[in-house]
Amino acid sequence: MARVEEHLAELLRLPVDERARAARALLDSLDEDSADAGVEQAQVTELIRRMQALQAGEVKLIDDVEARARVMARLRSVRGQ
């Protein structure tokens, strides 16, 4: 444990950008062992699919006001209001 404390003390002396890079590397190393890796890949795949659909003209974007109105209308419909 003392070794970890020594490394941590050394890292904390680094400039902010280098500490951020080290923190990201540590967090990423934890994510590699996680079952969430499949989820992340699925998210990337879905994002790519949606971007391709948009570029192909298969879908169109709507603004946040329209999106909210559609969601609220759908909720009212499901709730029977």
Side-chain angles (χ1 to χ4, degrees), residues 1-38:
M1 193 64 164
R3 189 170 166 192
V4 171
E5 295 300 326
E6 289 172 19
H7 289 302
L8 183 57
E10 185 177 339
L11 286 168
L12 290 173
R13 287 191 294 270
L14 294 173
V16 172
D17 59 326
E18 291 182 36
R19 289 194 321 256
R21 196 170 71 212
R24 171 54 50 205
L26 286 170
L27 288 172
D28 286 347
S29 75
L30 296 175
D31 289 342
E32 289 174 1
D33 297 334
S34 169
D36 292 341

Side-chain angles (χ1 to χ4, degrees), residues 5-71:
E5 295 300 326
E6 289 172 19
H7 289 302
L8 183 57
E10 185 177 339
L11 286 168
L12 290 173
R13 287 191 294 270
L14 294 173
V16 172
D17 59 326
E18 291 182 36
R19 289 194 321 256
R21 196 170 71 212
R24 171 54 50 205
L26 286 170
L27 288 172
D28 286 347
S29 75
L30 296 175
D31 289 342
E32 289 174 1
D33 297 334
S34 169
D36 292 341
V39 171
E40 185 176 341
Q41 181 57 48
Q43 290 173 332
V44 169
T45 300
E46 178 62 14
L47 178 59
I48 291 169
R49 184 193 69 76
R50 290 181 183 204
M51 287 173 39
Q52 289 171 338
L54 180 62
Q55 290 171 340
E58 298 168 2
V59 295
K60 69 174 192 166
L61 296 177
I62 59 173
D63 64 27
D64 60 323
V65 174
E66 177 64 21
R68 181 174 170 74
R70 289 184 187 188
V71 168

